[in-house]
Each structure stands twice: as C-alpha cells, then as structure tokens.
Amino acid sequence: MLIVQKYGGSSLADADKVRNVAGRIARSRDAGNQVVTVVSAMGDTTDELIGLANRVAERPDARELDVLLSTGELVSCTLMAMALRTMGYASVSLSGAQAGILTDTSYGRARIAGVAPGRIMSEVDEGNIVIVAGFQGITEDMDITTLGRGGSDTTAVAIAAGLGADRCEVYTDVDGIYTADPRLVPRARRLDEIGFEEMLELASYGAKMNPRSIEMGMRYNVPILVASSFTDGKGTLIHGEVDMNGNVGEIRNRVRGIATDTNVAKITVLGVIDRPGIAASLFEPLAQADISVDVIVQNASVDGTTDMTFTVTRTDLARALEVVQPVVEALGSRGTVSDDSLAKLSIVGSGMQDAPGYASRMFRALADKSINIDSITTSEIRITCLVNESQVADAACALHDAFQLDAPQE
Ligand code: ASP
Ligand code: MG
C-alpha cells in the first residue's frame, strides 16, 4: 500500500519524540508499505518564530514571514530523515517546494493549487521513505508560501490525493475525533468513524483539525484516519460512506458531536438604516481585509433601522473594528459595541436535517442549566449558539447528556 502519514508538532516536540515517530514510520515500512510522511514543526516552533518576527518588526513583511515560518518544518523533516537513516532505512527529506506543492500567492494562508507528484514518486520508487515538510508550498514565481495555522494536515491530504495514495493517516496527541472536547466534557467518547460533511462542520466550529484538509479529503475522496502517535488505538476514520442507518445508537442520536470554540469576538453595529446595500457595504471591506465573519445576525427593523451582529476571531477583532469604523460613520449608524467573552457552542449531525426537534432540545438543555443564549445560527446539519465563555464547559456537558452522546456506538 502507498500510505501518506502526517505527524503533528506535539508528537515531534524533542529529539526523543522525533526518534519515537521514526520508529513508527519504520514499522509501517516493515509492514511492506511505501510511506510518504508529512511533518509539522517541532513543538511550539511556529509560535516562537512568529514571536521572533514580531520582535524585529511591527508588521513583519508577509513574504519574509512565510520563508521564516517554513523553516520550522524543514528542521523536523531533515531530523526525521536523519533518524530513519541511522536506523538503517533509506530516507530523504523534501521541502514543500521540492515535493511539488504548488500554491496561490496569499502569504500566510495560501491555498494549494496542485501537487506535482514527480519528485516524491521517483524517491518512493527508489525505495526511500520520503519525509515532506508540511504547511508550505511554492508559487508560480518561486516564492515560498505557508498554508495557515495547522496547515500540515492539508499538505498530507493534498499529497495523498495527488499520489492517489491508498490512505492518509493523521497522527496527533489525541487518539481520534471525540464527541466533544474531552478537556471540557470528561465523558466524551471517541468516534470510530465520521462523515466528511459532519467533520467539516465540527472542524470549522472548533474541533482541532484543519477544515481545509477535510474539504480536500471530501473533494478528492481521500479517507483520513486520525489516530494517536503515542498509542496504538483504532483512531477515527473520516470518510464518505458513513451509514447512518447501520447503527442503532446513531439512529437515536442523530447528533454526532459537539464543537466548542472560544476564539470568538462579537461585533454589533447599532442602528443601521434598513435599505438595500447596507450589508454589502459593511462586509465587503471586511472581506477585502481578509477577515472572515460568521454567525451573522440582522434584527428585523422596527423604526427603519436595524442592528447587525457578526463574529470574527478574537485575533481579528481589533483589525475588524478598524475596518468597520469608517463604514459605520458613513452609514450614520449609532456606533459599534464588541464583546470578546463569548464562545461558540455547536451540535453537528447529518441526521438532524430530516428530523425535527433538535433545536428545541438544545435550547431546553441550556435553559435547564440557566445558560443564556446570545445568538443562534444554523446550517442543515449544525445548530450554533453563542454563550458566555465561562459557561461553555457546563453547556457542552449539558448537551452531551441531553443528546446521550456517551452511549456506545454499536
Ligand atoms: N507548524 C504549523 C502550525 O503550527 C503547521 C502545522 O502544525 O500544521 O500551525
Ligand atoms: Mg503545529
């Protein structure tokens, strides 16, 4: 089998851990597989590099910053190849550029435009275990880009798709995808499997996987196994063929999981005149500034004016307020208020779309714990409430109980 593996930064935090992972890669090779492994930067390297850049420049140049950040993954991929060679395995490291990861030009959040698999495949054919630096690629003009935080997952799925690999395995410090964040909900349970759509919603609303990697897996139908790099558990298979009806427990519990996200800030623009074009004039400049907005709520207008509420990440709050300010003045609105003490709490399940009553059960469970809901949004397979951050653990536990998510899967 041709297998693409990915190991995250916490699994590679020091030299011993690098050697431990090398042992795991070697085992997969010994089992007769051809192995391509994508690695993240060791431990907190990426944060440290960002910190360094911020100490020499107020606004580090985007192109320079990406080259700097790409070095974190070069450290881990070269060390991994050395460790494997010492163990007697033929191995070669490749930077993203050498591996043929082609991207667009948006520094810091580049999208993979294609994978030229030639070099990886020729190394594999020569018998090498190929170690690819994750999180990075190269533009048409030969500039180095990075893919956004957590981008190594995306590198791995893209390579698996590009090589037509048999499977993609993402190894991390948890042993799979859980019904909720186990740090908040001690009774959370590992899922054996989950569908792409559900996983995409969970990842977009707080679960630790990079949503772009799920999108990529969905588009190219690459099954992704998420498992621990420290133990030998079964992990969770993310794939396109979850049979909702093959599982009694899941028929009763059409909620598959709960996502929580505390990197949330809310902005409300007060007293916006209610006429065509207002929402566009508010959100266009935010889009231009590359700020993504979510949970958009507009009140029905009473006296010809309305309030417009939306969320951004806390990291984007200051910038979003800067961008919105001139628009608010031009529109003659009464000003803005912001709140960075909220969290997103979501229930996700593809079975919810054709069964009524999920929203009311969610609201009842929160009400019974006296948890106030700030705003609500939904998709076909998700219901999200903004709640106070200090109550998010209680709220997640209440929902986990209300939807009986600790019931075993079979
Ligand atoms: N090293 C990068 C980060 O910390 C990419 C990754 O870990 O996937 O965001
Ligand atoms: Mg990392």
Side-chain angles (χ1 to χ4, degrees):
M1 281 215 286
L2 174 59
I3 295 180
V4 176
Q5 301 185 331
K6 180 256 169 178
Y7 291 90
S10 51
S11 308
L12 303 164
D14 54 39
D16 285 340
K17 287 187 170 151
V18 170
R19 280 188 296 146
N20 171 57
V21 167
R24 299 183 70 100
I25 298 171
R27 264 203 281 150
S28 185
R29 173 76 193 170
D30 290 342
N33 298 308
Q34 294 179 309
V35 185
V36 176
T37 296
V38 174
V39 289
S40 291
M42 295 171 73
D44 296 328
T45 302
T46 307
D47 292 319
E48 287 160 13
L49 291 172
I50 292 171
L52 257 180
N54 287 332
R55 262 180 278 147
V56 299
E58 209 171 287
R59 280 178 193 245
D61 178 77
R63 178 182 176 280
E64 303 305 327
L65 184 62
D66 271 16
V67 179
L68 178 69
L69 297 188
S70 73
T71 63
E73 272 69 11
L74 295 178
V75 171
S76 46
C77 76
T78 47
L79 290 176
M80 187 62 72
M82 289 179 204
L84 280 161
R85 281 166 176 264
T86 305
M87 292 165 59
Y89 292 84
S91 178
V92 62
S93 70
L94 296 175
S95 68
Q98 289 175 310
I101 311 293
L102 312 170
T103 76
D104 67 16
T105 57
S106 359
Y107 293 114
R109 58 206 309 165
R111 277 190 180 268
I112 296 179
V115 177
R119 178 70 187 272
I120 298 181
M121 276 325 292
S122 65
E123 298 291 355
V124 167
D125 289 341
E126 277 175 34
N128 280 308
I129 299 176
V130 181
I131 314 294
V132 178
F135 172 63
Q136 58 187 273
I138 191 162
T139 67
E140 253 180 6
D141 294 335
M142 309 283 270
D143 283 314
I144 304 292
T145 51
T146 65
L147 308 179
R149 297 311 304 268
S152 302
D153 290 351
T154 315
T155 305
V157 180
I159 289 178
L163 302 184
D166 297 290
R167 63 196 289 174
C168 182
E169 305 171 340
V170 172
Y171 290 102
T172 171
D173 53 356
V174 291
D175 62 348
I177 305 298
Y178 274 68
T179 49
D181 183 342
R183 288 166 302 181
L184 301 183
V185 183
R187 293 169 66 171
R189 172 175 65 80
R190 182 183 54 79
L191 295 162
D192 285 334
E193 59 176 354
I194 184 167
F196 282 125
E197 287 89 357
E198 292 174 323
M199 191 60 221
L200 183 57
E201 294 274 4
L202 286 177
S204 306
Y205 284 82
K208 256 176 76 191
M209 274 205 84
N210 184 311
R212 278 188 184 173
S213 68
I214 310 297
E215 237 168 47
M216 182 86 67
M218 185 148 89
R219 176 144 26 107
Y220 296 101
N221 200 20
V222 179
I224 305 167
L225 178 77
V226 179
S228 164
S229 60
F230 301 112
T231 62
D232 287 323
K234 279 180 64 188
T236 302
L237 186 66
I238 308 168
H239 64 135
E241 289 141 36
V242 175
D243 175 11
M244 292 302 299
N245 299 319
N247 191 317
V248 179
E250 299 300 325
I251 290 177
R252 194 158 40 91
N253 299 323
R254 290 172 204 246
V255 175
R256 180 80 62 176
I258 296 168
T260 45
D261 183 1
T262 53
N263 186 8
V264 179
K266 183 184 79 164
I267 298 176
T268 302
V269 183
L270 300 164
V272 187
I273 302 151
D274 189 17
R275 63 173 152 78
I278 298 291
S281 58
L282 197 56
F283 291 112
E284 274 163 2
L286 287 165
Q288 265 154 26
D290 238 351
I291 296 172
S292 34
V293 297
D294 187 37
V295 191
I296 302 171
V297 182
Q298 183 190 314
N299 295 347
S301 68
V302 195
D303 52 2
T305 67
T306 173
D307 297 341
M308 190 85 86
T309 298
F310 57 93
T311 60
V312 296
T313 60
R314 280 182 203 169
T315 11
D316 279 343
L317 176 60
R319 234 158 38 91
L321 286 170
E322 259 172 47
V323 170
V324 163
Q325 204 50 48
V327 188
V328 165
E329 279 160 28
L331 296 179
S333 106
R334 283 192 283 113
T336 56
V337 286
S338 63
D339 183 348
D340 61 0
S341 66
L342 295 169
K344 279 184 213 165
L345 173 71
S346 308
I347 57 172
V348 170
S350 54
M352 281 163 38
Q353 60 191 330
D354 40 43
Y358 282 86
S360 64
R361 279 168 71 189
M362 181 177 191
F363 304 154
R364 169 53 55 200
L366 296 177
D368 287 349
K369 296 274 182 220
S370 304
I371 292 164
N372 187 48
I373 301 170
D374 180 284
S375 339
I376 302 162
T377 60
T378 65
S379 81
E380 277 187 5
I381 64 167
R382 171 183 52 79
I383 304 169
T384 299
C385 295
L386 290 183
V387 300
N388 201 286
E389 181 181 1
S390 62
Q391 294 181 303
V392 74
D394 281 348
C397 287
L399 296 180
H400 204 269
D401 287 345
F403 293 105
Q404 296 157 335
L405 290 181
D406 57 346
Q409 250 186 325
E410 53 281 314

mmCIF file with all atom_site columns, all heavy atoms in Angstrom, residues 394-409:
data_model
loop_
_atom_site.group_PDB
_atom_site.id
_atom_site.type_symbol
_atom_site.label_atom_id
_atom_site.label_alt_id
_atom_site.label_comp_id
_atom_site.label_asym_id
_atom_site.label_entity_id
_atom_site.label_seq_id
_atom_site.pdbx_PDB_ins_code
_atom_site.Cartn_x
_atom_site.Cartn_y
_atom_site.Cartn_z
_atom_site.occupancy
_atom_site.B_iso_or_equiv
_atom_site.pdbx_formal_charge
_atom_site.auth_seq_id
_atom_site.auth_comp_id
_atom_site.auth_asym_id
_atom_site.auth_atom_id
_atom_site.pdbx_PDB_model_num
ATOM 1   N N   . ASP A 1 394 ? -19.824 23.795 31.014 1.00 0.00 ? 394 ASP A N   1
ATOM 2   C CA  . ASP A 1 394 ? -21.114 23.335 31.547 1.00 0.00 ? 394 ASP A CA  1
ATOM 3   C C   . ASP A 1 394 ? -22.107 23.087 30.419 1.00 0.00 ? 394 ASP A C   1
ATOM 4   O O   . ASP A 1 394 ? -22.841 22.103 30.417 1.00 0.00 ? 394 ASP A O   1
ATOM 5   C CB  . ASP A 1 394 ? -21.732 24.414 32.460 1.00 0.00 ? 394 ASP A CB  1
ATOM 6   C CG  . ASP A 1 394 ? -21.081 24.392 33.825 1.00 0.00 ? 394 ASP A CG  1
ATOM 7   O OD1 . ASP A 1 394 ? -20.351 23.422 34.112 1.00 0.00 ? 394 ASP A OD1 1
ATOM 8   O OD2 . ASP A 1 394 ? -21.317 25.357 34.585 1.00 0.00 ? 394 ASP A OD2 1
ATOM 9   N N   . ALA A 1 395 ? -22.131 24.018 29.487 1.00 0.00 ? 395 ALA A N   1
ATOM 10  C CA  . ALA A 1 395 ? -23.077 23.919 28.381 1.00 0.00 ? 395 ALA A CA  1
ATOM 11  C C   . ALA A 1 395 ? -22.784 22.686 27.531 1.00 0.00 ? 395 ALA A C   1
ATOM 12  O O   . ALA A 1 395 ? -23.691 21.929 27.173 1.00 0.00 ? 395 ALA A O   1
ATOM 13  C CB  . ALA A 1 395 ? -23.011 25.183 27.527 1.00 0.00 ? 395 ALA A CB  1
ATOM 14  N N   . ALA A 1 396 ? -21.512 22.455 27.246 1.00 0.00 ? 396 ALA A N   1
ATOM 15  C CA  . ALA A 1 396 ? -21.149 21.294 26.419 1.00 0.00 ? 396 ALA A CA  1
ATOM 16  C C   . ALA A 1 396 ? -21.504 19.995 27.140 1.00 0.00 ? 396 ALA A C   1
ATOM 17  O O   . ALA A 1 396 ? -22.010 19.048 26.525 1.00 0.00 ? 396 ALA A O   1
ATOM 18  C CB  . ALA A 1 396 ? -19.660 21.336 26.074 1.00 0.00 ? 396 ALA A CB  1
ATOM 19  N N   . CYS A 1 397 ? -21.278 19.957 28.471 1.00 0.00 ? 397 CYS A N   1
ATOM 20  C CA  . CYS A 1 397 ? -21.640 18.753 29.246 1.00 0.00 ? 397 CYS A CA  1
ATOM 21  C C   . CYS A 1 397 ? -23.149 18.535 29.204 1.00 0.00 ? 397 CYS A C   1
ATOM 22  O O   . CYS A 1 397 ? -23.624 17.403 29.032 1.00 0.00 ? 397 CYS A O   1
ATOM 23  C CB  . CYS A 1 397 ? -21.187 18.877 30.702 1.00 0.00 ? 397 CYS A CB  1
ATOM 24  S SG  . CYS A 1 397 ? -19.401 18.718 30.897 1.00 0.00 ? 397 CYS A SG  1
ATOM 25  N N   . ALA A 1 398 ? -23.903 19.624 29.341 1.00 0.00 ? 398 ALA A N   1
ATOM 26  C CA  . ALA A 1 398 ? -25.364 19.504 29.344 1.00 0.00 ? 398 ALA A CA  1
ATOM 27  C C   . ALA A 1 398 ? -25.854 18.948 28.006 1.00 0.00 ? 398 ALA A C   1
ATOM 28  O O   . ALA A 1 398 ? -26.718 18.066 27.960 1.00 0.00 ? 398 ALA A O   1
ATOM 29  C CB  . ALA A 1 398 ? -25.993 20.869 29.624 1.00 0.00 ? 398 ALA A CB  1
ATOM 30  N N   . LEU A 1 399 ? -25.282 19.428 26.913 1.00 0.00 ? 399 LEU A N   1
ATOM 31  C CA  . LEU A 1 399 ? -25.706 18.945 25.597 1.00 0.00 ? 399 LEU A CA  1
ATOM 32  C C   . LEU A 1 399 ? -25.268 17.496 25.370 1.00 0.00 ? 399 LEU A C   1
ATOM 33  O O   . LEU A 1 399 ? -25.982 16.698 24.772 1.00 0.00 ? 399 LEU A O   1
ATOM 34  C CB  . LEU A 1 399 ? -25.139 19.837 24.488 1.00 0.00 ? 399 LEU A CB  1
ATOM 35  C CG  . LEU A 1 399 ? -25.629 21.293 24.494 1.00 0.00 ? 399 LEU A CG  1
ATOM 36  C CD1 . LEU A 1 399 ? -24.983 22.056 23.350 1.00 0.00 ? 399 LEU A CD1 1
ATOM 37  C CD2 . LEU A 1 399 ? -27.139 21.356 24.393 1.00 0.00 ? 399 LEU A CD2 1
ATOM 38  N N   . HIS A 1 400 ? -24.085 17.179 25.858 1.00 0.00 ? 400 HIS A N   1
ATOM 39  C CA  . HIS A 1 400 ? -23.583 15.814 25.714 1.00 0.00 ? 400 HIS A CA  1
ATOM 40  C C   . HIS A 1 400 ? -24.550 14.834 26.390 1.00 0.00 ? 400 HIS A C   1
ATOM 41  O O   . HIS A 1 400 ? -24.870 13.773 25.837 1.00 0.00 ? 400 HIS A O   1
ATOM 42  C CB  . HIS A 1 400 ? -22.190 15.711 26.337 1.00 0.00 ? 400 HIS A CB  1
ATOM 43  C CG  . HIS A 1 400 ? -21.356 14.606 25.781 1.00 0.00 ? 400 HIS A CG  1
ATOM 44  N ND1 . HIS A 1 400 ? -21.327 13.347 26.320 1.00 0.00 ? 400 HIS A ND1 1
ATOM 45  C CD2 . HIS A 1 400 ? -20.517 14.571 24.709 1.00 0.00 ? 400 HIS A CD2 1
ATOM 46  C CE1 . HIS A 1 400 ? -20.500 12.592 25.609 1.00 0.00 ? 400 HIS A CE1 1
ATOM 47  N NE2 . HIS A 1 400 ? -19.997 13.305 24.628 1.00 0.00 ? 400 HIS A NE2 1
ATOM 48  N N   . ASP A 1 401 ? -25.048 15.224 27.576 1.00 0.00 ? 401 ASP A N   1
ATOM 49  C CA  . ASP A 1 401 ? -26.035 14.390 28.277 1.00 0.00 ? 401 ASP A CA  1
ATOM 50  C C   . ASP A 1 401 ? -27.373 14.392 27.537 1.00 0.00 ? 401 ASP A C   1
ATOM 51  O O   . ASP A 1 401 ? -27.978 13.342 27.313 1.00 0.00 ? 401 ASP A O   1
ATOM 52  C CB  . ASP A 1 401 ? -26.262 14.894 29.711 1.00 0.00 ? 401 ASP A CB  1
ATOM 53  C CG  . ASP A 1 401 ? -25.067 14.579 30.604 1.00 0.00 ? 401 ASP A CG  1
ATOM 54  O OD1 . ASP A 1 401 ? -24.238 13.739 30.193 1.00 0.00 ? 401 ASP A OD1 1
ATOM 55  O OD2 . ASP A 1 401 ? -24.964 15.181 31.692 1.00 0.00 ? 401 ASP A OD2 1
ATOM 56  N N   . ALA A 1 402 ? -27.821 15.583 27.157 1.00 0.00 ? 402 ALA A N   1
ATOM 57  C CA  . ALA A 1 402 ? -29.149 15.689 26.546 1.00 0.00 ? 402 ALA A CA  1
ATOM 58  C C   . ALA A 1 402 ? -29.246 14.846 25.274 1.00 0.00 ? 402 ALA A C   1
ATOM 59  O O   . ALA A 1 402 ? -30.295 14.262 24.984 1.00 0.00 ? 402 ALA A O   1
ATOM 60  C CB  . ALA A 1 402 ? -29.465 17.147 26.232 1.00 0.00 ? 402 ALA A CB  1
ATOM 61  N N   . PHE A 1 403 ? -28.178 14.781 24.523 1.00 0.00 ? 403 PHE A N   1
ATOM 62  C CA  . PHE A 1 403 ? -28.221 14.003 23.274 1.00 0.00 ? 403 PHE A CA  1
ATOM 63  C C   . PHE A 1 403 ? -27.585 12.625 23.445 1.00 0.00 ? 403 PHE A C   1
ATOM 64  O O   . PHE A 1 403 ? -27.281 11.953 22.447 1.00 0.00 ? 403 PHE A O   1
ATOM 65  C CB  . PHE A 1 403 ? -27.576 14.803 22.139 1.00 0.00 ? 403 PHE A CB  1
ATOM 66  C CG  . PHE A 1 403 ? -28.375 16.019 21.777 1.00 0.00 ? 403 PHE A CG  1
ATOM 67  C CD1 . PHE A 1 403 ? -27.957 17.285 22.150 1.00 0.00 ? 403 PHE A CD1 1
ATOM 68  C CD2 . PHE A 1 403 ? -29.582 15.893 21.099 1.00 0.00 ? 403 PHE A CD2 1
ATOM 69  C CE1 . PHE A 1 403 ? -28.716 18.404 21.853 1.00 0.00 ? 403 PHE A CE1 1
ATOM 70  C CE2 . PHE A 1 403 ? -30.349 17.011 20.782 1.00 0.00 ? 403 PHE A CE2 1
ATOM 71  C CZ  . PHE A 1 403 ? -29.918 18.264 21.167 1.00 0.00 ? 403 PHE A CZ  1
ATOM 72  N N   . GLN A 1 404 ? -27.367 12.226 24.668 1.00 0.00 ? 404 GLN A N   1
ATOM 73  C CA  . GLN A 1 404 ? -26.875 10.869 25.001 1.00 0.00 ? 404 GLN A CA  1
ATOM 74  C C   . GLN A 1 404 ? -25.665 10.477 24.163 1.00 0.00 ? 404 GLN A C   1
ATOM 75  O O   . GLN A 1 404 ? -25.587 9.376  23.619 1.00 0.00 ? 404 GLN A O   1
ATOM 76  C CB  . GLN A 1 404 ? -27.991 9.853  24.811 1.00 0.00 ? 404 GLN A CB  1
ATOM 77  C CG  . GLN A 1 404 ? -29.127 10.102 25.769 1.00 0.00 ? 404 GLN A CG  1
ATOM 78  C CD  . GLN A 1 404 ? -30.442 9.522  25.266 1.00 0.00 ? 404 GLN A CD  1
ATOM 79  O OE1 . GLN A 1 404 ? -30.635 9.345  24.065 1.00 0.00 ? 404 GLN A OE1 1
ATOM 80  N NE2 . GLN A 1 404 ? -31.342 9.234  26.175 1.00 0.00 ? 404 GLN A NE2 1
ATOM 81  N N   . LEU A 1 405 ? -24.701 11.387 24.093 1.00 0.00 ? 405 LEU A N   1
ATOM 82  C CA  . LEU A 1 405 ? -23.558 11.108 23.239 1.00 0.00 ? 405 LEU A CA  1
ATOM 83  C C   . LEU A 1 405 ? -22.579 10.124 23.857 1.00 0.00 ? 405 LEU A C   1
ATOM 84  O O   . LEU A 1 405 ? -21.668 9.652  23.184 1.00 0.00 ? 405 LEU A O   1
ATOM 85  C CB  . LEU A 1 405 ? -22.840 12.417 22.878 1.00 0.00 ? 405 LEU A CB  1
ATOM 86  C CG  . LEU A 1 405 ? -23.626 13.311 21.933 1.00 0.00 ? 405 LEU A CG  1
ATOM 87  C CD1 . LEU A 1 405 ? -22.832 14.561 21.607 1.00 0.00 ? 405 LEU A CD1 1
ATOM 88  C CD2 . LEU A 1 405 ? -23.945 12.571 20.650 1.00 0.00 ? 405 LEU A CD2 1
ATOM 89  N N   . ASP A 1 406 ? -22.758 9.811  25.138 1.00 0.00 ? 406 ASP A N   1
ATOM 90  C CA  . ASP A 1 406 ? -21.831 8.833  25.703 1.00 0.00 ? 406 ASP A CA  1
ATOM 91  C C   . ASP A 1 406 ? -22.317 7.402  25.533 1.00 0.00 ? 406 ASP A C   1
ATOM 92  O O   . ASP A 1 406 ? -21.657 6.460  25.950 1.00 0.00 ? 406 ASP A O   1
ATOM 93  C CB  . ASP A 1 406 ? -21.524 9.132  27.180 1.00 0.00 ? 406 ASP A CB  1
ATOM 94  C CG  . ASP A 1 406 ? -22.778 9.185  28.020 1.00 0.00 ? 406 ASP A CG  1
ATOM 95  O OD1 . ASP A 1 406 ? -23.889 9.262  27.433 1.00 0.00 ? 406 ASP A OD1 1
ATOM 96  O OD2 . ASP A 1 406 ? -22.675 9.142  29.257 1.00 0.00 ? 406 ASP A OD2 1
ATOM 97  N N   . ALA A 1 407 ? -23.471 7.247  24.874 1.00 0.00 ? 407 ALA A N   1
ATOM 98  C CA  . ALA A 1 407 ? -23.954 5.886  24.592 1.00 0.00 ? 407 ALA A CA  1
ATOM 99  C C   . ALA A 1 407 ? -22.995 5.244  23.591 1.00 0.00 ? 407 ALA A C   1
ATOM 100 O O   . ALA A 1 407 ? -22.579 5.886  22.631 1.00 0.00 ? 407 ALA A O   1
ATOM 101 C CB  . ALA A 1 407 ? -25.355 5.940  24.000 1.00 0.00 ? 407 ALA A CB  1
ATOM 102 N N   . PRO A 1 408 ? -22.615 3.998  23.814 1.00 0.00 ? 408 PRO A N   1
ATOM 103 C CA  . PRO A 1 408 ? -21.664 3.351  22.894 1.00 0.00 ? 408 PRO A CA  1
ATOM 104 C C   . PRO A 1 408 ? -22.233 3.279  21.483 1.00 0.00 ? 408 PRO A C   1
ATOM 105 O O   . PRO A 1 408 ? -23.441 3.238  21.288 1.00 0.00 ? 408 PRO A O   1
ATOM 106 C CB  . PRO A 1 408 ? -21.463 1.957  23.482 1.00 0.00 ? 408 PRO A CB  1
ATOM 107 C CG  . PRO A 1 408 ? -22.571 1.757  24.465 1.00 0.00 ? 408 PRO A CG  1
ATOM 108 C CD  . PRO A 1 408 ? -23.022 3.104  24.899 1.00 0.00 ? 408 PRO A CD  1
ATOM 109 N N   . GLN A 1 409 ? -21.325 3.250  20.499 1.00 0.00 ? 409 GLN A N   1
ATOM 110 C CA  . GLN A 1 409 ? -21.753 3.375  19.107 1.00 0.00 ? 409 GLN A CA  1
ATOM 111 C C   . GLN A 1 409 ? -22.505 2.160  18.582 1.00 0.00 ? 409 GLN A C   1
ATOM 112 O O   . GLN A 1 409 ? -23.328 2.286  17.717 1.00 0.00 ? 409 GLN A O   1
ATOM 113 C CB  . GLN A 1 409 ? -20.544 3.646  18.209 1.00 0.00 ? 409 GLN A CB  1
ATOM 114 C CG  . GLN A 1 409 ? -20.554 5.064  17.675 1.00 0.00 ? 409 GLN A CG  1
ATOM 115 C CD  . GLN A 1 409 ? -19.445 5.267  16.687 1.00 0.00 ? 409 GLN A CD  1
ATOM 116 O OE1 . GLN A 1 409 ? -18.371 4.717  16.803 1.00 0.00 ? 409 GLN A OE1 1
ATOM 117 N NE2 . GLN A 1 409 ? -19.696 6.083  15.676 1.00 0.00 ? 409 GLN A NE2 1
#
